[in-house]
Amino acid sequence: AQKVTQAQTEISVVEKEDVTLDCVYETRDTTYYLFWYKQPPSGELVFLIRRNSFDEQNEISGRYSWNFQKSTSSFNFTITASQVVDSAVYFCALSGLNTNAGKSTFGDGTTLTVKP
Amino acid sequence: DTAVSQTPKYLVTQMGNDKSIKCEQNLGHDTMYWYKQDSKKFLKIMFSYNNKELIINETVPNRFSPKSPDKAHLNLHINSLELGDSAVYFCASSLIASGTYNEQFFGPGTRLTVL
């Protein structure tokens, strides 16, 4: 079985603050992929990043950065200098390639509110 | 060009009715999915098809029946609709090539309201 835990249900910050969204996962697969998706108030689901289990390099894309640590089974997402447009529900997801091929497990999501 | 499309976008119906939601992707992906998102925004996978074959069938009432006529289409038929079926249903697609697992592209969602 695989599981994704996003312990933070809701986070509220003021614009320009940095914020980190936590994601902890469980899987028995040796090969797996981790994802982050964003769901803004308009409702669509937008892909942000993918990481495979063999690549622990951190990634930075503009104000977004991701920290993947296999030792703690975590894949955290940091937004630097947050903006109102970052307000959304963010989902972390896990897809295994061995025993769970074809199944994507999503965390319960973290609702981020950025206030002006 | 819409990558993953769903019809209808909104569906309002009475309890006990039967309804279908259609999904099409033009990305050349080999895997398609149906997800249910409830009012609390929890996103749960329902079904997954790879090359028209069912590979994931979560604990979903058998009133829900997916059908994949080809790799580009995955439809969802729901019989005897119940109040608890009210939710947003998302279709998604991805490419699962050998040794890799790519991101999913989601449709715009179908908001189903059962009265």
Side-chain angles (χ1 to χ4, degrees), chain B residues 11-38:
Chain B
L11 190 51
V12 181
T13 188
Q14 298 288 332
M15 246 186 346
N17 284 350
D18 303 339
K19 290 294 177 185
S20 292
I21 307 172
K22 295 186 176 181
C23 178
E24 177 181 2
Q25 56 95 2
N26 62 5
L27 298 166
H29 288 167
D30 56 5
T31 306
M32 296 185 72
Y33 314 78
W34 277 111
Y35 289 87
K36 179 180 180 181
Q37 186 172 46
D38 62 22

PDB file of all heavy atoms in Angstrom, chain B residues 11-38:
ATOM      1  N   LEU B  11     -23.504  18.922 -14.425  1.00  0.00           N
ATOM      2  CA  LEU B  11     -24.543  17.904 -14.573  1.00  0.00           C
ATOM      3  C   LEU B  11     -25.404  17.945 -13.325  1.00  0.00           C
ATOM      4  O   LEU B  11     -24.923  17.676 -12.225  1.00  0.00           O
ATOM      5  CB  LEU B  11     -23.886  16.535 -14.745  1.00  0.00           C
ATOM      6  CG  LEU B  11     -24.733  15.337 -15.148  1.00  0.00           C
ATOM      7  CD1 LEU B  11     -25.580  15.627 -16.366  1.00  0.00           C
ATOM      8  CD2 LEU B  11     -23.821  14.139 -15.403  1.00  0.00           C
ATOM      9  N   VAL B  12     -26.656  18.311 -13.511  1.00  0.00           N
ATOM     10  CA  VAL B  12     -27.605  18.352 -12.400  1.00  0.00           C
ATOM     11  C   VAL B  12     -28.704  17.354 -12.720  1.00  0.00           C
ATOM     12  O   VAL B  12     -29.298  17.406 -13.805  1.00  0.00           O
ATOM     13  CB  VAL B  12     -28.208  19.753 -12.221  1.00  0.00           C
ATOM     14  CG1 VAL B  12     -29.183  19.763 -11.037  1.00  0.00           C
ATOM     15  CG2 VAL B  12     -27.108  20.786 -12.010  1.00  0.00           C
ATOM     16  N   THR B  13     -28.964  16.451 -11.790  1.00  0.00           N
ATOM     17  CA  THR B  13     -29.906  15.381 -12.081  1.00  0.00           C
ATOM     18  C   THR B  13     -30.609  14.931 -10.818  1.00  0.00           C
ATOM     19  O   THR B  13     -30.212  15.273  -9.700  1.00  0.00           O
ATOM     20  CB  THR B  13     -29.183  14.205 -12.754  1.00  0.00           C
ATOM     21  OG1 THR B  13     -30.143  13.242 -13.193  1.00  0.00           O
ATOM     22  CG2 THR B  13     -28.206  13.555 -11.790  1.00  0.00           C
ATOM     23  N   GLN B  14     -31.631  14.155 -10.984  1.00  0.00           N
ATOM     24  CA  GLN B  14     -32.410  13.647  -9.857  1.00  0.00           C
ATOM     25  C   GLN B  14     -31.853  12.311  -9.390  1.00  0.00           C
ATOM     26  O   GLN B  14     -31.253  11.542 -10.163  1.00  0.00           O
ATOM     27  CB  GLN B  14     -33.875  13.449 -10.277  1.00  0.00           C
ATOM     28  CG  GLN B  14     -34.578  14.719 -10.712  1.00  0.00           C
ATOM     29  CD  GLN B  14     -34.875  15.641  -9.552  1.00  0.00           C
ATOM     30  OE1 GLN B  14     -35.046  15.194  -8.420  1.00  0.00           O
ATOM     31  NE2 GLN B  14     -34.931  16.940  -9.822  1.00  0.00           N
ATOM     32  N   MET B  15     -32.041  12.045  -8.130  1.00  0.00           N
ATOM     33  CA  MET B  15     -31.688  10.744  -7.565  1.00  0.00           C
ATOM     34  C   MET B  15     -32.340   9.633  -8.367  1.00  0.00           C
ATOM     35  O   MET B  15     -33.494   9.766  -8.806  1.00  0.00           O
ATOM     36  CB  MET B  15     -32.221  10.680  -6.121  1.00  0.00           C
ATOM     37  CG  MET B  15     -31.132  10.619  -5.094  1.00  0.00           C
ATOM     38  SD  MET B  15     -31.685  10.363  -3.384  1.00  0.00           S
ATOM     39  CE  MET B  15     -33.375  10.645  -3.377  1.00  0.00           C
ATOM     40  N   GLY B  16     -31.597   8.569  -8.576  1.00  0.00           N
ATOM     41  CA  GLY B  16     -32.142   7.410  -9.266  1.00  0.00           C
ATOM     42  C   GLY B  16     -31.897   7.405 -10.760  1.00  0.00           C
ATOM     43  O   GLY B  16     -32.040   6.359 -11.414  1.00  0.00           O
ATOM     44  N   ASN B  17     -31.523   8.551 -11.304  1.00  0.00           N
ATOM     45  CA  ASN B  17     -31.257   8.616 -12.740  1.00  0.00           C
ATOM     46  C   ASN B  17     -29.917   7.973 -13.082  1.00  0.00           C
ATOM     47  O   ASN B  17     -29.071   7.740 -12.219  1.00  0.00           O
ATOM     48  CB  ASN B  17     -31.251  10.072 -13.212  1.00  0.00           C
ATOM     49  CG  ASN B  17     -32.643  10.648 -13.324  1.00  0.00           C
ATOM     50  OD1 ASN B  17     -33.628   9.910 -13.232  1.00  0.00           O
ATOM     51  ND2 ASN B  17     -32.739  11.951 -13.501  1.00  0.00           N
ATOM     52  N   ASP B  18     -29.733   7.717 -14.381  1.00  0.00           N
ATOM     53  CA  ASP B  18     -28.466   7.222 -14.912  1.00  0.00           C
ATOM     54  C   ASP B  18     -27.849   8.319 -15.763  1.00  0.00           C
ATOM     55  O   ASP B  18     -28.548   8.951 -16.563  1.00  0.00           O
ATOM     56  CB  ASP B  18     -28.692   5.988 -15.797  1.00  0.00           C
ATOM     57  CG  ASP B  18     -29.396   4.856 -15.078  1.00  0.00           C
ATOM     58  OD1 ASP B  18     -29.362   4.837 -13.834  1.00  0.00           O
ATOM     59  OD2 ASP B  18     -29.975   3.996 -15.770  1.00  0.00           O
ATOM     60  N   LYS B  19     -26.553   8.515 -15.602  1.00  0.00           N
ATOM     61  CA  LYS B  19     -25.876   9.563 -16.378  1.00  0.00           C
ATOM     62  C   LYS B  19     -24.485   9.107 -16.797  1.00  0.00           C
ATOM     63  O   LYS B  19     -23.892   8.215 -16.182  1.00  0.00           O
ATOM     64  CB  LYS B  19     -25.735  10.846 -15.552  1.00  0.00           C
ATOM     65  CG  LYS B  19     -27.052  11.574 -15.296  1.00  0.00           C
ATOM     66  CD  LYS B  19     -27.628  12.113 -16.593  1.00  0.00           C
ATOM     67  CE  LYS B  19     -28.973  12.781 -16.338  1.00  0.00           C
ATOM     68  NZ  LYS B  19     -29.621  13.221 -17.598  1.00  0.00           N
ATOM     69  N   SER B  20     -23.970   9.763 -17.833  1.00  0.00           N
ATOM     70  CA  SER B  20     -22.618   9.465 -18.308  1.00  0.00           C
ATOM     71  C   SER B  20     -21.797  10.737 -18.424  1.00  0.00           C
ATOM     72  O   SER B  20     -22.328  11.815 -18.719  1.00  0.00           O
ATOM     73  CB  SER B  20     -22.680   8.794 -19.681  1.00  0.00           C
ATOM     74  OG  SER B  20     -23.232   7.512 -19.593  1.00  0.00           O
ATOM     75  N   ILE B  21     -20.503  10.576 -18.196  1.00  0.00           N
ATOM     76  CA  ILE B  21     -19.533  11.653 -18.404  1.00  0.00           C
ATOM     77  C   ILE B  21     -18.512  11.138 -19.406  1.00  0.00           C
ATOM     78  O   ILE B  21     -18.036  10.006 -19.279  1.00  0.00           O
ATOM     79  CB  ILE B  21     -18.816  12.038 -17.101  1.00  0.00           C
ATOM     80  CG1 ILE B  21     -19.830  12.355 -15.987  1.00  0.00           C
ATOM     81  CG2 ILE B  21     -17.915  13.243 -17.330  1.00  0.00           C
ATOM     82  CD1 ILE B  21     -19.184  12.553 -14.626  1.00  0.00           C
ATOM     83  N   LYS B  22     -18.198  11.994 -20.367  1.00  0.00           N
ATOM     84  CA  LYS B  22     -17.257  11.566 -21.399  1.00  0.00           C
ATOM     85  C   LYS B  22     -15.920  12.267 -21.232  1.00  0.00           C
ATOM     86  O   LYS B  22     -15.853  13.411 -20.792  1.00  0.00           O
ATOM     87  CB  LYS B  22     -17.829  11.853 -22.780  1.00  0.00           C
ATOM     88  CG  LYS B  22     -19.075  11.052 -23.086  1.00  0.00           C
ATOM     89  CD  LYS B  22     -19.526  11.251 -24.522  1.00  0.00           C
ATOM     90  CE  LYS B  22     -20.725  10.366 -24.825  1.00  0.00           C
ATOM     91  NZ  LYS B  22     -21.188  10.514 -26.224  1.00  0.00           N
ATOM     92  N   CYS B  23     -14.868  11.574 -21.611  1.00  0.00           N
ATOM     93  CA  CYS B  23     -13.528  12.147 -21.526  1.00  0.00           C
ATOM     94  C   CYS B  23     -12.726  11.759 -22.758  1.00  0.00           C
ATOM     95  O   CYS B  23     -12.770  10.604 -23.198  1.00  0.00           O
ATOM     96  CB  CYS B  23     -12.816  11.655 -20.271  1.00  0.00           C
ATOM     97  SG  CYS B  23     -11.129  12.271 -20.111  1.00  0.00           S
ATOM     98  N   GLU B  24     -11.991  12.732 -23.271  1.00  0.00           N
ATOM     99  CA  GLU B  24     -11.143  12.492 -24.432  1.00  0.00           C
ATOM    100  C   GLU B  24      -9.811  13.201 -24.244  1.00  0.00           C
ATOM    101  O   GLU B  24      -9.759  14.319 -23.734  1.00  0.00           O
ATOM    102  CB  GLU B  24     -11.821  13.021 -25.702  1.00  0.00           C
ATOM    103  CG  GLU B  24     -10.983  12.884 -26.955  1.00  0.00           C
ATOM    104  CD  GLU B  24     -11.664  13.438 -28.183  1.00  0.00           C
ATOM    105  OE1 GLU B  24     -12.792  13.966 -28.072  1.00  0.00           O
ATOM    106  OE2 GLU B  24     -11.067  13.344 -29.272  1.00  0.00           O
ATOM    107  N   GLN B  25      -8.747  12.538 -24.641  1.00  0.00           N
ATOM    108  CA  GLN B  25      -7.427  13.180 -24.605  1.00  0.00           C
ATOM    109  C   GLN B  25      -6.773  13.076 -25.976  1.00  0.00           C
ATOM    110  O   GLN B  25      -6.899  12.052 -26.649  1.00  0.00           O
ATOM    111  CB  GLN B  25      -6.547  12.569 -23.503  1.00  0.00           C
ATOM    112  CG  GLN B  25      -6.348  11.066 -23.576  1.00  0.00           C
ATOM    113  CD  GLN B  25      -5.096  10.613 -24.282  1.00  0.00           C
ATOM    114  OE1 GLN B  25      -4.267  11.436 -24.728  1.00  0.00           O
ATOM    115  NE2 GLN B  25      -4.912   9.305 -24.409  1.00  0.00           N
ATOM    116  N   ASN B  26      -6.095  14.147 -26.340  1.00  0.00           N
ATOM    117  CA  ASN B  26      -5.436  14.172 -27.650  1.00  0.00           C
ATOM    118  C   ASN B  26      -3.920  14.268 -27.496  1.00  0.00           C
ATOM    119  O   ASN B  26      -3.224  14.818 -28.360  1.00  0.00           O
ATOM    120  CB  ASN B  26      -5.978  15.331 -28.497  1.00  0.00           C
ATOM    121  CG  ASN B  26      -5.707  16.691 -27.874  1.00  0.00           C
ATOM    122  OD1 ASN B  26      -5.036  16.797 -26.860  1.00  0.00           O
ATOM    123  ND2 ASN B  26      -6.237  17.738 -28.477  1.00  0.00           N
ATOM    124  N   LEU B  27      -3.417  13.733 -26.391  1.00  0.00           N
ATOM    125  CA  LEU B  27      -1.989  13.811 -26.087  1.00  0.00           C
ATOM    126  C   LEU B  27      -1.224  12.559 -26.490  1.00  0.00           C
ATOM    127  O   LEU B  27      -0.011  12.493 -26.286  1.00  0.00           O
ATOM    128  CB  LEU B  27      -1.806  14.065 -24.582  1.00  0.00           C
ATOM    129  CG  LEU B  27      -2.406  15.372 -24.080  1.00  0.00           C
ATOM    130  CD1 LEU B  27      -2.478  15.386 -22.558  1.00  0.00           C
ATOM    131  CD2 LEU B  27      -1.584  16.553 -24.588  1.00  0.00           C
ATOM    132  N   GLY B  28      -1.926  11.562 -26.967  1.00  0.00           N
ATOM    133  CA  GLY B  28      -1.257  10.309 -27.317  1.00  0.00           C
ATOM    134  C   GLY B  28      -0.859   9.491 -26.101  1.00  0.00           C
ATOM    135  O   GLY B  28       0.000   8.606 -26.195  1.00  0.00           O
ATOM    136  N   HIS B  29      -1.468   9.766 -24.961  1.00  0.00           N
ATOM    137  CA  HIS B  29      -1.150   9.033 -23.739  1.00  0.00           C
ATOM    138  C   HIS B  29      -1.753   7.635 -23.767  1.00  0.00           C
ATOM    139  O   HIS B  29      -2.733   7.371 -24.471  1.00  0.00           O
ATOM    140  CB  HIS B  29      -1.670   9.786 -22.522  1.00  0.00           C
ATOM    141  CG  HIS B  29      -0.890  11.026 -22.230  1.00  0.00           C
ATOM    142  ND1 HIS B  29      -1.337  11.990 -21.341  1.00  0.00           N
ATOM    143  CD2 HIS B  29       0.307  11.457 -22.691  1.00  0.00           C
ATOM    144  CE1 HIS B  29      -0.442  12.957 -21.272  1.00  0.00           C
ATOM    145  NE2 HIS B  29       0.566  12.665 -22.088  1.00  0.00           N
ATOM    146  N   ASP B  30      -1.154   6.739 -22.959  1.00  0.00           N
ATOM    147  CA  ASP B  30      -1.625   5.355 -22.951  1.00  0.00           C
ATOM    148  C   ASP B  30      -2.450   5.015 -21.717  1.00  0.00           C
ATOM    149  O   ASP B  30      -2.994   3.918 -21.610  1.00  0.00           O
ATOM    150  CB  ASP B  30      -0.439   4.386 -23.043  1.00  0.00           C
ATOM    151  CG  ASP B  30       0.586   4.594 -21.939  1.00  0.00           C
ATOM    152  OD1 ASP B  30       0.351   5.427 -21.026  1.00  0.00           O
ATOM    153  OD2 ASP B  30       1.637   3.929 -21.986  1.00  0.00           O
ATOM    154  N   THR B  31      -2.535   5.941 -20.776  1.00  0.00           N
ATOM    155  CA  THR B  31      -3.231   5.657 -19.525  1.00  0.00           C
ATOM    156  C   THR B  31      -4.206   6.786 -19.202  1.00  0.00           C
ATOM    157  O   THR B  31      -3.871   7.964 -19.330  1.00  0.00           O
ATOM    158  CB  THR B  31      -2.211   5.504 -18.378  1.00  0.00           C
ATOM    159  OG1 THR B  31      -1.245   4.510 -18.751  1.00  0.00           O
ATOM    160  CG2 THR B  31      -2.902   5.054 -17.093  1.00  0.00           C
ATOM    161  N   MET B  32      -5.397   6.392 -18.798  1.00  0.00           N
ATOM    162  CA  MET B  32      -6.415   7.380 -18.427  1.00  0.00           C
ATOM    163  C   MET B  32      -7.020   7.015 -17.081  1.00  0.00           C
ATOM    164  O   MET B  32      -7.013   5.843 -16.682  1.00  0.00           O
ATOM    165  CB  MET B  32      -7.495   7.472 -19.509  1.00  0.00           C
ATOM    166  CG  MET B  32      -6.939   7.979 -20.844  1.00  0.00           C
ATOM    167  SD  MET B  32      -8.197   8.230 -22.105  1.00  0.00           S
ATOM    168  CE  MET B  32      -9.046   9.696 -21.498  1.00  0.00           C
ATOM    169  N   TYR B  33      -7.534   8.027 -16.400  1.00  0.00           N
ATOM    170  CA  TYR B  33      -7.995   7.870 -15.024  1.00  0.00           C
ATOM    171  C   TYR B  33      -9.309   8.618 -14.804  1.00  0.00           C
ATOM    172  O   TYR B  33      -9.596   9.601 -15.473  1.00  0.00           O
ATOM    173  CB  TYR B  33      -6.985   8.478 -14.042  1.00  0.00           C
ATOM    174  CG  TYR B  33      -5.547   8.145 -14.277  1.00  0.00           C
ATOM    175  CD1 TYR B  33      -4.809   8.788 -15.266  1.00  0.00           C
ATOM    176  CD2 TYR B  33      -4.893   7.194 -13.487  1.00  0.00           C
ATOM    177  CE1 TYR B  33      -3.471   8.506 -15.483  1.00  0.00           C
ATOM    178  CE2 TYR B  33      -3.554   6.904 -13.685  1.00  0.00           C
ATOM    179  CZ  TYR B  33      -2.857   7.557 -14.683  1.00  0.00           C
ATOM    180  OH  TYR B  33      -1.536   7.271 -14.883  1.00  0.00           O
ATOM    181  N   TRP B  34     -10.032   8.145 -13.791  1.00  0.00           N
ATOM    182  CA  TRP B  34     -11.138   8.912 -13.239  1.00  0.00           C
ATOM    183  C   TRP B  34     -10.873   9.125 -11.760  1.00  0.00           C
ATOM    184  O   TRP B  34     -10.532   8.196 -11.030  1.00  0.00           O
ATOM    185  CB  TRP B  34     -12.473   8.194 -13.407  1.00  0.00           C
ATOM    186  CG  TRP B  34     -13.106   8.394 -14.744  1.00  0.00           C
ATOM    187  CD1 TRP B  34     -13.273   7.470 -15.727  1.00  0.00           C
ATOM    188  CD2 TRP B  34     -13.654   9.613 -15.253  1.00  0.00           C
ATOM    189  NE1 TRP B  34     -13.876   8.032 -16.820  1.00  0.00           N
ATOM    190  CE2 TRP B  34     -14.130   9.350 -16.555  1.00  0.00           C
ATOM    191  CE3 TRP B  34     -13.799  10.906 -14.740  1.00  0.00           C
ATOM    192  CZ2 TRP B  34     -14.738  10.322 -17.355  1.00  0.00           C
ATOM    193  CZ3 TRP B  34     -14.387  11.871 -15.533  1.00  0.00           C
ATOM    194  CH2 TRP B  34     -14.854  11.582 -16.824  1.00  0.00           C
ATOM    195  N   TYR B  35     -11.057  10.384 -11.338  1.00  0.00           N
ATOM    196  CA  TYR B  35     -10.942  10.761  -9.940  1.00  0.00           C
ATOM    197  C   TYR B  35     -12.239  11.395  -9.480  1.00  0.00           C
ATOM    198  O   TYR B  35     -12.942  12.041 -10.248  1.00  0.00           O
ATOM    199  CB  TYR B  35      -9.836  11.808  -9.741  1.00  0.00           C
ATOM    200  CG  TYR B  35      -8.436  11.301  -9.906  1.00  0.00           C
ATOM    201  CD1 TYR B  35      -7.827  11.274 -11.150  1.00  0.00           C
ATOM    202  CD2 TYR B  35      -7.704  10.861  -8.805  1.00  0.00           C
ATOM    203  CE1 TYR B  35      -6.535  10.819 -11.300  1.00  0.00           C
ATOM    204  CE2 TYR B  35      -6.402  10.408  -8.938  1.00  0.00           C
ATOM    205  CZ  TYR B  35      -5.824  10.390 -10.188  1.00  0.00           C
ATOM    206  OH  TYR B  35      -4.546   9.945 -10.333  1.00  0.00           O
ATOM    207  N   LYS B  36     -12.498  11.253  -8.180  1.00  0.00           N
ATOM    208  CA  LYS B  36     -13.630  11.928  -7.563  1.00  0.00           C
ATOM    209  C   LYS B  36     -13.082  12.911  -6.532  1.00  0.00           C
ATOM    210  O   LYS B  36     -12.252  12.534  -5.693  1.00  0.00           O
ATOM    211  CB  LYS B  36     -14.551  10.921  -6.881  1.00  0.00           C
ATOM    212  CG  LYS B  36     -15.752  11.553  -6.175  1.00  0.00           C
ATOM    213  CD  LYS B  36     -16.621  10.486  -5.514  1.00  0.00           C
ATOM    214  CE  LYS B  36     -17.820  11.111  -4.809  1.00  0.00           C
ATOM    215  NZ  LYS B  36     -18.678  10.092  -4.144  1.00  0.00           N
ATOM    216  N   GLN B  37     -13.530  14.158  -6.604  1.00  0.00           N
ATOM    217  CA  GLN B  37     -13.129  15.148  -5.606  1.00  0.00           C
ATOM    218  C   GLN B  37     -14.367  15.588  -4.841  1.00  0.00           C
ATOM    219  O   GLN B  37     -15.292  16.167  -5.415  1.00  0.00           O
ATOM    220  CB  GLN B  37     -12.451  16.353  -6.248  1.00  0.00           C
ATOM    221  CG  GLN B  37     -11.904  17.329  -5.205  1.00  0.00           C
ATOM    222  CD  GLN B  37     -11.062  18.428  -5.808  1.00  0.00           C
ATOM    223  OE1 GLN B  37     -11.429  19.047  -6.802  1.00  0.00           O
ATOM    224  NE2 GLN B  37      -9.911  18.705  -5.208  1.00  0.00           N
ATOM    225  N   ASP B  38     -14.362  15.338  -3.549  1.00  0.00           N
ATOM    226  CA  ASP B  38     -15.537  15.668  -2.745  1.00  0.00           C
ATOM    227  C   ASP B  38     -15.495  17.124  -2.286  1.00  0.00           C
ATOM    228  O   ASP B  38     -14.591  17.877  -2.654  1.00  0.00           O
ATOM    229  CB  ASP B  38     -15.669  14.706  -1.559  1.00  0.00           C
ATOM    230  CG  ASP B  38     -14.487  14.779  -0.609  1.00  0.00           C
ATOM    231  OD1 ASP B  38     -13.781  15.811  -0.588  1.00  0.00           O
ATOM    232  OD2 ASP B  38     -14.252  13.804   0.127  1.00  0.00           O
TER     233      ASP B  38
END
